[in-house]
Short mmCIF file of all heavy atoms in Angstrom, two decimals:
data_model
loop_
_atom_site.label_atom_id
_atom_site.label_comp_id
_atom_site.label_asym_id
_atom_site.label_seq_id
_atom_site.Cartn_x
_atom_site.Cartn_y
_atom_site.Cartn_z
N TYR A 29 29.64 1.09 -5.24
CA TYR A 29 30.86 1.60 -5.82
C TYR A 29 30.61 2.93 -6.50
O TYR A 29 29.56 3.14 -7.10
CB TYR A 29 31.42 0.63 -6.87
CG TYR A 29 31.86 -0.68 -6.31
CD1 TYR A 29 31.08 -1.82 -6.45
CD2 TYR A 29 33.08 -0.79 -5.64
CE1 TYR A 29 31.49 -3.04 -5.95
CE2 TYR A 29 33.49 -2.00 -5.13
CZ TYR A 29 32.70 -3.13 -5.29
OH TYR A 29 33.12 -4.32 -4.78
N ASN A 30 31.58 3.82 -6.42
CA ASN A 30 31.62 4.98 -7.28
C ASN A 30 33.08 5.25 -7.60
O ASN A 30 33.98 4.78 -6.92
CB ASN A 30 30.89 6.19 -6.71
CG ASN A 30 31.58 6.84 -5.54
OD1 ASN A 30 32.79 6.79 -5.41
ND2 ASN A 30 30.80 7.45 -4.68
N LEU A 31 33.31 5.99 -8.64
CA LEU A 31 34.66 6.19 -9.15
C LEU A 31 35.57 6.86 -8.14
O LEU A 31 36.73 6.46 -7.99
CB LEU A 31 34.58 7.01 -10.43
CG LEU A 31 35.59 6.71 -11.51
CD1 LEU A 31 35.70 5.24 -11.79
CD2 LEU A 31 35.24 7.46 -12.77
N SER A 32 35.07 7.86 -7.43
CA SER A 32 35.94 8.57 -6.49
C SER A 32 36.40 7.66 -5.34
O SER A 32 37.54 7.75 -4.88
CB SER A 32 35.28 9.84 -5.96
OG SER A 32 34.09 9.55 -5.30
N LYS A 33 35.53 6.76 -4.88
CA LYS A 33 35.93 5.81 -3.84
C LYS A 33 37.06 4.90 -4.33
O LYS A 33 38.01 4.63 -3.61
CB LYS A 33 34.75 4.95 -3.39
CG LYS A 33 33.77 5.62 -2.47
CD LYS A 33 32.68 4.64 -2.07
CE LYS A 33 31.63 5.29 -1.20
NZ LYS A 33 30.55 4.35 -0.85
N ILE A 34 36.93 4.43 -5.56
CA ILE A 34 37.94 3.55 -6.12
C ILE A 34 39.26 4.29 -6.27
O ILE A 34 40.32 3.78 -5.90
CB ILE A 34 37.47 2.97 -7.48
CG1 ILE A 34 36.21 2.12 -7.29
CG2 ILE A 34 38.58 2.14 -8.12
CD1 ILE A 34 35.51 1.76 -8.57
N TYR A 35 39.22 5.53 -6.80
CA TYR A 35 40.45 6.30 -6.98
C TYR A 35 41.10 6.66 -5.65
O TYR A 35 42.32 6.69 -5.54
CB TYR A 35 40.19 7.56 -7.80
CG TYR A 35 39.97 7.28 -9.27
CD1 TYR A 35 38.98 7.93 -9.98
CD2 TYR A 35 40.75 6.35 -9.95
CE1 TYR A 35 38.77 7.68 -11.32
CE2 TYR A 35 40.55 6.08 -11.30
CZ TYR A 35 39.56 6.76 -11.97
OH TYR A 35 39.36 6.50 -13.30
N ASN A 36 40.29 6.93 -4.63
CA ASN A 36 40.87 7.21 -3.31
C ASN A 36 41.63 6.00 -2.78
O ASN A 36 42.69 6.14 -2.18
CB ASN A 36 39.78 7.61 -2.31
CG ASN A 36 39.39 9.06 -2.44
OD1 ASN A 36 40.20 9.91 -2.78
ND2 ASN A 36 38.13 9.35 -2.20
N LYS A 37 41.09 4.80 -3.02
CA LYS A 37 41.78 3.58 -2.60
C LYS A 37 43.08 3.38 -3.38
O LYS A 37 44.09 2.96 -2.82
CB LYS A 37 40.88 2.36 -2.76
CG LYS A 37 39.76 2.30 -1.75
CD LYS A 37 38.90 1.07 -1.98
CE LYS A 37 37.75 1.02 -1.00
NZ LYS A 37 36.89 -0.16 -1.23
N ILE A 38 43.05 3.70 -4.68
CA ILE A 38 44.26 3.58 -5.50
C ILE A 38 45.35 4.50 -4.97
O ILE A 38 46.51 4.12 -4.87
CB ILE A 38 43.95 3.88 -6.99
CG1 ILE A 38 43.06 2.81 -7.59
CG2 ILE A 38 45.25 4.02 -7.79
CD1 ILE A 38 42.53 3.14 -8.98
N CYS A 39 44.98 5.71 -4.62
CA CYS A 39 45.95 6.70 -4.13
C CYS A 39 46.59 6.27 -2.81
O CYS A 39 47.74 6.59 -2.54
CB CYS A 39 45.28 8.06 -3.95
SG CYS A 39 44.81 8.81 -5.50
N LYS A 40 45.85 5.53 -2.01
CA LYS A 40 46.36 5.09 -0.71
C LYS A 40 47.19 3.82 -0.83
O LYS A 40 47.98 3.50 0.05
CB LYS A 40 45.20 4.87 0.26
CG LYS A 40 44.53 6.17 0.66
CD LYS A 40 43.32 5.91 1.53
CE LYS A 40 42.57 7.19 1.81
NZ LYS A 40 41.32 6.96 2.53
N ALA A 41 47.02 3.08 -1.91
CA ALA A 41 47.74 1.82 -2.09
C ALA A 41 49.19 2.08 -2.49
O ALA A 41 49.51 3.12 -3.08
CB ALA A 41 47.07 0.97 -3.16
N LYS A 42 50.04 1.15 -2.15
CA LYS A 42 51.45 1.25 -2.51
C LYS A 42 51.59 1.12 -4.03
O LYS A 42 51.02 0.21 -4.64
CB LYS A 42 52.26 0.16 -1.81
CG LYS A 42 53.73 0.28 -2.01
CD LYS A 42 54.48 -0.79 -1.22
CE LYS A 42 55.97 -0.66 -1.49
NZ LYS A 42 56.73 -1.68 -0.79
N ILE A 43 52.33 2.05 -4.63
CA ILE A 43 52.48 2.08 -6.09
C ILE A 43 53.05 0.76 -6.59
O ILE A 43 54.00 0.22 -6.04
CB ILE A 43 53.38 3.26 -6.51
CG1 ILE A 43 52.71 4.59 -6.12
CG2 ILE A 43 53.66 3.24 -8.01
CD1 ILE A 43 53.59 5.79 -6.30
N ASN A 44 52.45 0.25 -7.66
CA ASN A 44 52.84 -0.99 -8.33
C ASN A 44 52.70 -2.26 -7.50
O ASN A 44 53.23 -3.31 -7.86
CB ASN A 44 54.27 -0.89 -8.88
CG ASN A 44 54.36 0.13 -10.00
OD1 ASN A 44 53.42 0.31 -10.76
ND2 ASN A 44 55.49 0.80 -10.08
N SER A 45 51.97 -2.17 -6.39
CA SER A 45 51.70 -3.38 -5.61
C SER A 45 50.58 -4.17 -6.30
O SER A 45 49.88 -3.65 -7.17
CB SER A 45 51.29 -3.02 -4.18
OG SER A 45 50.04 -2.36 -4.19
N LYS A 46 50.41 -5.43 -5.91
CA LYS A 46 49.31 -6.24 -6.47
C LYS A 46 47.97 -5.60 -6.18
O LYS A 46 47.08 -5.57 -7.03
CB LYS A 46 49.36 -7.65 -5.89
CG LYS A 46 50.42 -8.53 -6.46
CD LYS A 46 50.31 -9.94 -5.90
CE LYS A 46 51.37 -10.84 -6.46
NZ LYS A 46 51.30 -12.20 -5.92
N HIS A 47 47.84 -5.06 -4.96
CA HIS A 47 46.59 -4.41 -4.56
C HIS A 47 46.29 -3.20 -5.44
O HIS A 47 45.17 -3.01 -5.89
CB HIS A 47 46.67 -4.01 -3.09
CG HIS A 47 45.44 -3.35 -2.56
ND1 HIS A 47 44.22 -4.00 -2.52
CD2 HIS A 47 45.23 -2.11 -2.05
CE1 HIS A 47 43.30 -3.18 -2.03
NE2 HIS A 47 43.89 -2.03 -1.73
N CYS A 48 47.32 -2.40 -5.71
CA CYS A 48 47.16 -1.21 -6.56
C CYS A 48 46.75 -1.62 -7.97
O CYS A 48 45.85 -1.02 -8.56
CB CYS A 48 48.46 -0.41 -6.57
SG CYS A 48 48.34 1.13 -7.48
N LYS A 49 47.41 -2.63 -8.51
CA LYS A 49 47.07 -3.10 -9.86
C LYS A 49 45.65 -3.64 -9.93
O LYS A 49 44.94 -3.41 -10.91
CB LYS A 49 48.08 -4.16 -10.30
CG LYS A 49 49.45 -3.59 -10.59
CD LYS A 49 50.45 -4.67 -10.93
CE LYS A 49 51.83 -4.05 -11.14
NZ LYS A 49 52.85 -5.06 -11.38
N LYS A 50 45.22 -4.32 -8.87
CA LYS A 50 43.85 -4.83 -8.80
C LYS A 50 42.84 -3.68 -8.80
O LYS A 50 41.81 -3.74 -9.47
CB LYS A 50 43.68 -5.66 -7.52
CG LYS A 50 43.29 -7.07 -7.71
CD LYS A 50 43.09 -7.73 -6.36
CE LYS A 50 43.05 -9.22 -6.53
NZ LYS A 50 42.88 -9.93 -5.29
N LEU A 51 43.15 -2.64 -8.02
CA LEU A 51 42.26 -1.49 -7.93
C LEU A 51 42.18 -0.75 -9.27
O LEU A 51 41.10 -0.29 -9.67
CB LEU A 51 42.71 -0.54 -6.82
CG LEU A 51 42.49 -1.02 -5.40
CD1 LEU A 51 43.24 -0.14 -4.41
CD2 LEU A 51 41.00 -1.06 -5.07
N LYS A 52 43.29 -0.64 -9.97
CA LYS A 52 43.29 0.02 -11.28
C LYS A 52 42.44 -0.76 -12.27
O LYS A 52 41.69 -0.19 -13.05
CB LYS A 52 44.71 0.19 -11.80
CG LYS A 52 45.48 1.29 -11.08
CD LYS A 52 46.88 1.43 -11.62
CE LYS A 52 47.63 2.54 -10.90
NZ LYS A 52 49.00 2.69 -11.41
N THR A 53 42.55 -2.08 -12.22
CA THR A 53 41.72 -2.94 -13.07
C THR A 53 40.25 -2.76 -12.70
O THR A 53 39.39 -2.70 -13.59
CB THR A 53 42.14 -4.41 -12.93
OG1 THR A 53 43.51 -4.53 -13.28
CG2 THR A 53 41.31 -5.32 -13.81
N HIS A 54 39.97 -2.67 -11.41
CA HIS A 54 38.60 -2.46 -10.94
C HIS A 54 38.06 -1.13 -11.46
O HIS A 54 36.89 -1.05 -11.91
CB HIS A 54 38.54 -2.50 -9.42
CG HIS A 54 37.19 -2.30 -8.84
ND1 HIS A 54 36.12 -3.11 -9.13
CD2 HIS A 54 36.71 -1.35 -7.99
CE1 HIS A 54 35.04 -2.69 -8.49
NE2 HIS A 54 35.39 -1.61 -7.79
N ALA A 55 38.86 -0.08 -11.44
CA ALA A 55 38.44 1.23 -11.94
C ALA A 55 38.11 1.17 -13.43
O ALA A 55 37.09 1.72 -13.87
CB ALA A 55 39.53 2.27 -11.68
N ILE A 56 38.93 0.48 -14.19
CA ILE A 56 38.69 0.33 -15.63
C ILE A 56 37.42 -0.46 -15.87
O ILE A 56 36.57 -0.06 -16.67
CB ILE A 56 39.90 -0.36 -16.30
CG1 ILE A 56 41.12 0.53 -16.24
CG2 ILE A 56 39.58 -0.72 -17.75
CD1 ILE A 56 42.42 -0.20 -16.53
N ASN A 57 37.26 -1.59 -15.18
CA ASN A 57 36.06 -2.42 -15.35
C ASN A 57 34.80 -1.66 -14.95
O ASN A 57 33.76 -1.76 -15.62
CB ASN A 57 36.19 -3.71 -14.54
CG ASN A 57 37.22 -4.65 -15.11
OD1 ASN A 57 37.60 -4.55 -16.27
ND2 ASN A 57 37.70 -5.56 -14.28
N TYR A 58 34.88 -0.92 -13.84
CA TYR A 58 33.73 -0.14 -13.38
C TYR A 58 33.34 0.90 -14.43
O TYR A 58 32.17 1.03 -14.79
CB TYR A 58 34.06 0.54 -12.04
CG TYR A 58 32.98 1.47 -11.57
CD1 TYR A 58 31.83 0.99 -10.96
CD2 TYR A 58 33.09 2.85 -11.77
CE1 TYR A 58 30.83 1.84 -10.54
CE2 TYR A 58 32.10 3.71 -11.35
CZ TYR A 58 30.97 3.21 -10.74
OH TYR A 58 29.98 4.06 -10.34
N SER A 59 34.32 1.64 -14.93
CA SER A 59 34.05 2.67 -15.95
C SER A 59 33.43 2.05 -17.20
O SER A 59 32.45 2.58 -17.74
CB SER A 59 35.34 3.40 -16.32
OG SER A 59 35.87 4.07 -15.22
N ASN A 60 33.99 0.93 -17.66
CA ASN A 60 33.45 0.26 -18.85
C ASN A 60 32.03 -0.21 -18.62
O ASN A 60 31.16 -0.08 -19.49
CB ASN A 60 34.34 -0.91 -19.25
CG ASN A 60 35.63 -0.47 -19.88
OD1 ASN A 60 35.74 0.64 -20.39
ND2 ASN A 60 36.63 -1.32 -19.84
N GLN A 61 31.75 -0.76 -17.43
CA GLN A 61 30.41 -1.23 -17.10
C GLN A 61 29.41 -0.07 -17.14
O GLN A 61 28.32 -0.20 -17.71
CB GLN A 61 30.42 -1.89 -15.73
CG GLN A 61 29.07 -2.40 -15.28
CD GLN A 61 29.11 -2.95 -13.86
OE1 GLN A 61 30.13 -2.95 -13.20
NE2 GLN A 61 27.97 -3.42 -13.38
N VAL A 62 29.78 1.04 -16.55
CA VAL A 62 28.90 2.20 -16.51
C VAL A 62 28.68 2.76 -17.92
O VAL A 62 27.56 3.08 -18.31
CB VAL A 62 29.46 3.29 -15.57
CG1 VAL A 62 28.72 4.60 -15.72
CG2 VAL A 62 29.41 2.82 -14.12
N LEU A 63 29.75 2.84 -18.71
CA LEU A 63 29.63 3.38 -20.07
C LEU A 63 28.81 2.46 -20.98
O LEU A 63 28.12 2.93 -21.88
CB LEU A 63 31.01 3.63 -20.67
CG LEU A 63 31.77 4.80 -20.04
CD1 LEU A 63 33.22 4.79 -20.48
CD2 LEU A 63 31.10 6.12 -20.40
N ASN A 64 28.87 1.16 -20.74
CA ASN A 64 28.07 0.22 -21.54
C ASN A 64 26.57 0.39 -21.31
O ASN A 64 25.77 -0.03 -22.13
CB ASN A 64 28.48 -1.22 -21.25
CG ASN A 64 29.75 -1.62 -21.95
OD1 ASN A 64 30.08 -1.08 -23.01
ND2 ASN A 64 30.49 -2.54 -21.36
N LEU A 65 26.20 1.01 -20.20
CA LEU A 65 24.78 1.20 -19.89
C LEU A 65 24.17 2.44 -20.56
O LEU A 65 22.97 2.63 -20.53
CB LEU A 65 24.59 1.31 -18.36
CG LEU A 65 24.96 0.06 -17.56
CD1 LEU A 65 24.86 0.33 -16.07
CD2 LEU A 65 24.10 -1.12 -17.96
N ILE A 66 25.01 3.28 -21.19
CA ILE A 66 24.49 4.47 -21.87
C ILE A 66 23.70 4.05 -23.09
O ILE A 66 24.18 3.29 -23.92
CB ILE A 66 25.63 5.40 -22.35
CG1 ILE A 66 26.50 5.87 -21.22
CG2 ILE A 66 25.06 6.61 -23.09
CD1 ILE A 66 27.70 6.69 -21.68
N SER A 67 22.51 4.58 -23.20
CA SER A 67 21.71 4.36 -24.40
C SER A 67 22.10 5.42 -25.43
O SER A 67 21.93 6.62 -25.19
CB SER A 67 20.21 4.46 -24.09
OG SER A 67 19.48 4.44 -25.28
#
Side-chain angles (χ1 to χ4, degrees):
Y29 294 103
N30 71 28
L31 214 48
S32 59
K33 282 182 183 178
I34 298 167
Y35 287 138
N36 279 327
K37 288 179 181 179
I38 292 171
C39 292
K40 291 175 186 174
K42 186 177 178 181
I43 297 171
N44 293 327
S45 67
K46 284 184 180 180
H47 181 62
C48 184
K49 289 176 183 176
K50 239 183 195 179
L51 288 168
K52 286 180 179 180
T53 302
H54 180 59
I56 294 164
N57 290 341
Y58 174 79
S59 298
N60 286 338
Q61 179 184 0
V62 169
L63 289 168
N64 282 332
L65 296 175
I66 301 175
S67 172

